[in-house]
């Protein structure tokens, strides 16, 4: 699988560790993040990975900032993206099974490297269950596609 990875300055080391781990698992990893510890803006990297997923350059994405929240919010502004921030494996697995998430995010200041690997494993090993979940994902995507926010 081809995985895009992005990060801000707070997550350079974790990004490096997770990139190596993903490669050890046999995945191709494309780096869209910074390799500098100088302060930078996480929305830039959230958007880069989300655009790569949207355009089909990569199959899915992993985003890391201090908490995972900001970078996932930025990614979710890109049409077709369902990014989730997780701090433990169960939510990561369920986000894929029930919500068909295409980007996983977590925080370098929140989880350690071993927990991050467990989160990644749970998310990558999970499969979308479809069925009633597909109906709900379609409802979420319909919200994105409406011109306004009013319920019809």
């Amino acid at each position: 699988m081809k995985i895009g990875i992005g990060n801000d300055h707070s997550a350079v080391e974790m990004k490096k560790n997770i990139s190596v781990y993903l490669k050890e698992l046999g995945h191709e990893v494309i780096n869209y993040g910074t390799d500098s510890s100088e302060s930078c803006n996480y929305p830039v990297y959230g958007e880069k990975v989300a655009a790569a997923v949207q355009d089909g350059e990569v199959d899915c994405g992993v985003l890391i900032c201090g908490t995972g929240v900001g970078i996932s919010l930025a990614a979710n502004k890109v049409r077709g993206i369902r990014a989730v921030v997780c701090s433990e494996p169960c939510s990561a697995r369920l986000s894929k099974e029930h919500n068909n998430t295409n980007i996983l995010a977590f925080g370098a200041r929140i989880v350690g490297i071993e927990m991050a690997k467990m989160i990644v494993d749970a998310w990558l090993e999970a499969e979308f269950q479809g069925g009633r979940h597909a109906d709900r994902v379609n409802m979420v995507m319909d919200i994105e596609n409406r011109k306004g926010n009013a319920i019809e």
Side-chain angles (χ1 to χ4, degrees):
M1 184 179 314
K2 191 183 248 187
I3 301 173
I5 193 164
N7 63 288
D8 70 1
H9 59 279
S10 69
V12 173
E13 287 307 311
M14 182 165 281
K15 186 260 312 258
K16 289 178 183 175
N17 283 301
I18 293 298
S19 293
V20 168
Y21 182 66
L22 290 168
K23 289 174 186 175
E24 288 172 354
L25 293 175
H27 301 290
E28 181 181 353
V29 179
I30 309 297
N31 179 18
Y32 295 94
T34 184
D35 290 318
S36 170
S37 59
E38 281 190 44
S39 183
C40 63
N41 298 312
Y42 60 80
V44 171
Y45 305 104
E47 183 179 14
K48 283 183 180 186
V49 171
V53 171
Q54 180 191 55
D55 294 342
E57 293 173 22
V58 295
D59 300 307
C60 61
V62 173
L63 294 171
I64 317 166
C65 67
T67 64
V69 174
I71 203 164
S72 68
L73 289 174
N76 276 318
K77 297 299 180 183
V78 175
R79 186 174 300 281
I81 297 304
R82 291 174 307 282
V84 63
V85 58
C86 295
S87 298
E88 42 71 33
C90 183
S91 294
R93 177 180 55 80
L94 289 171
S95 79
K96 180 75 77 65
E97 290 178 354
H98 294 186
N99 308 112
N100 201 19
T101 53
N102 49 16
I103 295 181
L104 172 67
F106 46 86
R109 295 177 178 148
I110 305 299
V111 301
I113 189 62
E114 294 308 315
M115 178 59 73
K117 289 176 183 178
M118 290 170 32
I119 293 166
V120 166
D121 285 342
W123 189 70
L124 289 175
E125 292 168 6
E127 292 185 23
F128 182 50
Q129 293 179 347
R132 72 181 190 276
H133 303 296
D135 294 338
R136 293 169 184 157
V137 170
N138 288 334
M139 289 174 74
V140 170
M141 300 312 291
D142 286 346
I143 294 169
E144 182 177 81
N145 292 322
R146 276 193 225 128
K147 288 185 180 177
N149 290 329
I151 302 289
E152 295 176 6

